[in-house]
């Protein structure tokens, strides 16, 4: 009987998604997630991954992961607060804090967990959170979990932030007010206006929270968007993921000793979910060492981003206003966007379509994520395929 209840719930919804072309078919990558990937036996130039610096398959990271597995085993054995804190976790947190120029850091099992844990450990139903309307899903869920009043702020609109901050303070209803923003917005590649944000935050006493999942390893010579603007001592919480530029898995918060102390006793994924594996922790640390030794990979990433953007613009594509290597190619209609992406794939370029509800209706796009591991020849091939399919579908 319960099976029928479940099927009655699921069948119409799945059918509706399939009928409207909204059912997400998940591709399987047969091998490493590098600049070239194999899907269904076909080799494709990969323009879809967040592996910004090409570290996900880096030999030094793999070696460190192997060594840590030999030394500690494959699993941490418990949650951090019971007996799952291994020496390598503490080393990782020290390395992150140094890299982010903060007093301390705490590592989580994912960036998603980090937002769920950190926001709900700090904010309560007596508080308000002002949140950029395009913030990532994990921020939205973390805010909901906290029980705080959530007030959306127009995307990157500093006048709206000032107005909302003033109204919220003047209402006298809240004990604390936090402003949360992505450091780099992943759909358009625009960068949070942190210099203006810290001024407004100071004026109204807002706690500042920057999720730099797409900025770490990319902005500020790798150290992130906050470092890029020289604001390390003016942003209260710097959040990051270890899964994108760093190439592994996990997340972190960097901030004061006191803040990190509190998260270690109150952030629920830290208290109730088993710690990062030793292999992951070791690989993450090696990624940070690579970034601190040299800015070569970060520079290559930006060079590739510029090259791709210029090439697409010259061909006549609409590429939006990205300020980072993230390069959206805005097509508009959802069905045309999906067709365009499918044709690119048939011609050897793997660039995923992103449509409503991830982005507003009518702004469907194929999002390109150039990385430091792409060669100029690969990008030339991508541009040639874009030109061919763009003309075929009368987009350019
Ligand atoms: N925050 C932002 C802004 C993100 O883009 C993502 C990843 N899509 C996350 C958090 C979640 O990070 P993770 O994949 O490490 O869970």
């Amino acid at each position: 009987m319960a099976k029928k209840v479940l099927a009655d719930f699921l069948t119409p919804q799945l059918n509706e998604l399939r009928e409207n072309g909204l059912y997400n078919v998940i591709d399987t990558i047969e091998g490493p997630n590098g600049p070239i990937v194999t899907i269904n036996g076909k080799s494709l130039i990969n323009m879809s991954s967040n592996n910004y610096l090409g570290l996900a398959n880096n030999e030094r990271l793999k070696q460190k992961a192997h060594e840590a597995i030999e030394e500690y085993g494959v699993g941490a054995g418990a949650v951090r607060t019971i007996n799952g804190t291994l020496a390598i976790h503490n080393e990782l947190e020290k390395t992150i804090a140094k890299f982010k120029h903060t007093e301390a850091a705490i590592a989580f099992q994912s960036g998603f967990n980090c937002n769920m844990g950190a926001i709900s450990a700090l904010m309560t139903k007596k508080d308000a959170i002002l949140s950029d309307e395009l913030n990532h899903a994990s921020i939205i869920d973390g805010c909901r979990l906290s029980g705080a009043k959530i007030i959306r702020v127009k995307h990157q609109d500093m006048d709206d932030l000032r107005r909302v901050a003033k109204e919220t303070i003047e209402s006298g209803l809240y004990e604390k007010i936090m402003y949360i923003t992505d450091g780099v917005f992943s759909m358009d590649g625009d960068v949070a206006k942190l210099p203006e944000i810290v001024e407004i935050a100071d004026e109204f006493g807002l706690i500042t929270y920057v999720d730099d999942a797409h900025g770490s390893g990319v902005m500020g010579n790798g150290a992130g968007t906050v470092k890029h603007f020289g604001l390390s001592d003016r942003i209260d919480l710097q959040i990051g993921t270890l899964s994108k530029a760093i190439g592994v898995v996990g997340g972190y918060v960097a901030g004061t000793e006191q803040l990190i102390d509190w998260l270690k006793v109150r952030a629920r994924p830290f208290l109730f979910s088993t710690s990062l594996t030793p292999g992951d922790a070791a690989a993450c640390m090696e990624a940070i060492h690579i970034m601190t030794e040299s800015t070569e990979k970060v520079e290559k990433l930006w060079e590739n981003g510029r090259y791709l953007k210029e090439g697409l613009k010259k061909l006549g594509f609409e590429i939006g206003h990205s300020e980072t290597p993230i390069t959206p190619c805005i097509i508009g209609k959802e069905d045309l966007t999906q067709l365009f992406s499918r044709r690119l794939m048939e011609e050897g370029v793997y660039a995923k379509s992103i449509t409503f509800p991830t982005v507003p209706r009518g702004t469907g796009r194929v999002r390109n994520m150039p990385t430091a591991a792409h060669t100029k020849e690969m990008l030339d091939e991508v541009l040639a395929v874009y030109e061919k399919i763009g003309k075929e579908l009368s987009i350019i």
Side-chain angles (χ1 to χ4, degrees), residues 2-136:
K3 273 208 175 90
K4 181 170 168 357
V5 175
L6 202 52
D8 286 349
F9 168 69
L10 297 174
T11 310
Q13 301 201 72
L14 282 167
N15 286 346
E16 193 186 322
L17 289 179
R18 288 200 179 96
E19 278 156 21
N20 293 317
L22 295 173
Y23 181 81
N24 190 17
V25 179
I26 301 173
D27 303 318
T28 301
I29 302 199
E30 296 142 8
N33 193 331
I36 305 283
V37 287
T38 307
I39 296 178
N40 291 329
K42 187 172 162 150
S43 176
L44 304 164
I45 302 174
N46 180 13
M47 299 306 292
S48 286
S49 95
N50 297 319
N51 181 16
Y52 287 113
L53 300 179
L55 293 175
N57 193 33
N58 178 281
E59 287 307 321
R60 280 177 57 179
L61 268 66
K62 290 202 284 191
Q63 182 58 33
K64 287 292 174 187
H66 282 301
E67 288 169 14
I69 288 171
E70 286 307 322
E71 187 177 350
Y72 293 96
V74 291
V79 303
R80 288 287 300 271
T81 47
I82 297 190
N83 80 340
T85 293
L86 308 175
I88 200 158
H89 293 123
N90 293 337
E91 275 176 59
L92 172 64
E93 287 167 342
K94 283 206 179 84
T95 308
I96 295 171
K98 196 162 165 223
F99 181 57
K100 303 304 281 187
H101 302 268
T102 57
E103 285 174 17
I106 173 174
F108 287 85
Q109 309 84 344
S110 74
F112 204 106
N113 264 357
C114 191
N115 280 328
M116 301 293 278
I119 301 170
S120 63
L122 291 169
M123 304 306 279
T124 72
K125 56 180 187 300
K126 295 180 182 159
D127 300 321
I129 302 174
L130 317 183
S131 176
D132 185 286
E133 62 185 345
L134 295 190
N135 277 344
H136 187 256

Side-chain angles (χ1 to χ4, degrees), residues 110-113 115 136 138 182 186 211 213-214 241-244 250:
S110 74
F112 204 106
N113 264 357
N115 280 328
H136 187 256
S138 56
D182 277 21
S186 64
D211 177 345
H214 288 272
T241 169
L242 300 166
S243 65
K244 299 186 196 297

Side-chain angles (χ1 to χ4, degrees), residues 91-361:
E91 275 176 59
L92 172 64
E93 287 167 342
K94 283 206 179 84
T95 308
I96 295 171
K98 196 162 165 223
F99 181 57
K100 303 304 281 187
H101 302 268
T102 57
E103 285 174 17
I106 173 174
F108 287 85
Q109 309 84 344
S110 74
F112 204 106
N113 264 357
C114 191
N115 280 328
M116 301 293 278
I119 301 170
S120 63
L122 291 169
M123 304 306 279
T124 72
K125 56 180 187 300
K126 295 180 182 159
D127 300 321
I129 302 174
L130 317 183
S131 176
D132 185 286
E133 62 185 345
L134 295 190
N135 277 344
H136 187 256
S138 56
I139 297 178
I140 297 170
D141 288 2
C143 292
R144 286 181 182 150
L145 192 63
S146 74
K149 169 81 177 165
I150 302 163
I151 304 170
R152 278 157 57 113
V153 178
K154 283 189 195 145
H155 179 55
Q156 295 263 45
D157 184 335
M158 295 300 113
D159 291 337
D160 198 44
L161 173 58
R162 182 180 290 280
R163 182 188 63 75
V164 171
K166 190 164 182 290
E167 264 177 34
T168 312
I169 282 274
E170 285 175 358
S171 75
L173 291 171
Y174 307 104
E175 281 184 1
K176 308 192 283 303
I177 307 175
M178 176 184 270
Y179 177 62
I180 306 192
T181 181
D182 277 21
V184 170
F185 289 86
S186 64
M187 293 302 147
D188 293 293
D190 51 332
V191 177
K193 296 172 182 164
L194 296 185
E196 288 171 69
I197 289 168
V198 293
E199 292 301 322
I200 298 172
D202 279 359
E203 190 180 334
F204 295 101
L206 311 179
I207 300 167
T208 47
Y209 185 113
V210 175
D211 177 345
D212 211 19
H214 288 272
S216 286
V218 176
M219 301 289 294
N221 279 337
T225 310
V226 174
K227 174 74 183 358
H228 167 80
F229 288 114
L231 294 171
S232 304
D233 55 349
R234 294 187 67 190
I235 295 292
D236 297 307
L237 288 95
Q238 292 189 57
I239 311 305
T241 169
L242 300 166
S243 65
K244 299 186 196 297
I246 287 174
V248 193
V249 74
Y252 59 85
V253 181
T256 62
E257 289 277 4
Q258 191 186 41
L259 166 76
I260 302 307
D261 261 1
W262 177 250
L263 296 180
K264 286 186 171 174
V265 295
R266 277 293 180 276
R268 290 170 71 83
F270 188 86
L271 297 169
F272 297 111
S273 178
T274 298
S275 347
L276 277 174
T277 72
D280 290 333
C284 289
M285 259 194 296
E286 190 63 4
I288 297 174
H289 292 150
I290 290 176
M291 281 193 260
T292 10
E293 271 166 26
S294 151
T295 54
E296 193 188 321
K297 286 185 190 299
V298 182
E299 281 161 23
K300 180 76 183 153
L301 163 69
W302 281 85
E303 186 188 314
N304 281 346
R306 279 192 294 270
Y307 188 76
L308 183 72
K309 276 189 198 155
E310 276 162 26
L312 287 173
K313 217 154 78 189
K314 240 186 244 159
L315 288 173
F317 284 100
E318 162 60 53
I319 59 163
H321 302 100
S322 171
E323 299 166 80
T324 60
I326 296 172
T327 308
C329 189
I330 299 159
I331 308 293
K333 285 194 181 134
E334 285 67 29
D335 49 357
L336 183 59
T337 311
Q338 280 164 359
L339 176 63
F340 185 63
S341 163
R342 206 161 54 241
R343 286 290 297 121
L344 290 177
M345 194 163 173
E346 283 162 6
E347 297 293 325
V349 174
Y350 186 49
K352 296 288 277 187
S353 62
I354 299 183
T355 54
F356 180 79
T358 310
V359 292
R361 259 186 225 284

